């Protein structure tokens, strides 16, 4: 019974979460040859002020709204 955890920044719409859960489940089913109902996908969301990379909070590095649909993302 595979359990997959996806950690993302808060703010993505539920449609995106549905799509990623479906895509990941499909990939696990095909790769591990298991039934879809055996696959659990957990989506953990984090506020940008609680997530840092390279010693810098994402809230400071990327600004509000980073990663949300329609918001320009920095390279």
């Amino acid at each position: 019974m595979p359990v997959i955890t996806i950690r993302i920044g808060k703010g993505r719409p539920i449609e995106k979460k549905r799509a990623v859960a479906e895509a990941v489940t499909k990939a696990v089913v095909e790769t591990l040859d298991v039934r879809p109902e055996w696959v659990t996908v957990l989506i953990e969301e984090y506020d940008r002020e609680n997530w840092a990379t390279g010693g810098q909070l994402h809230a400071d590095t990327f600004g509000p709204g980073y990663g949300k649909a329609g918001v320009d993302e920095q390279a």
Side-chain angles (χ1 to χ4, degrees), residues 9-65:
K10 278 189 178 178
R12 288 183 175 80
I14 194 165
E15 295 83 17
K16 294 290 185 180
K17 295 176 204 176
R18 285 186 183 118
V20 76
E22 183 178 333
V24 168
T25 298
K26 181 178 178 185
V28 170
V29 165
E30 292 173 359
T31 304
L32 298 181
D33 193 26
V34 296
R35 298 169 61 164
E37 55 270 19
W38 294 354
V39 179
T40 297
V41 176
L42 303 171
I43 300 173
E44 297 178 358
E45 295 183 285
Y46 295 91
D47 288 317
R48 298 294 177 177
E49 64 188 32
N50 296 325
W51 189 337
T53 302
Q56 300 294 314
L57 292 175
H58 283 207
D60 297 334
T61 304
F62 302 110

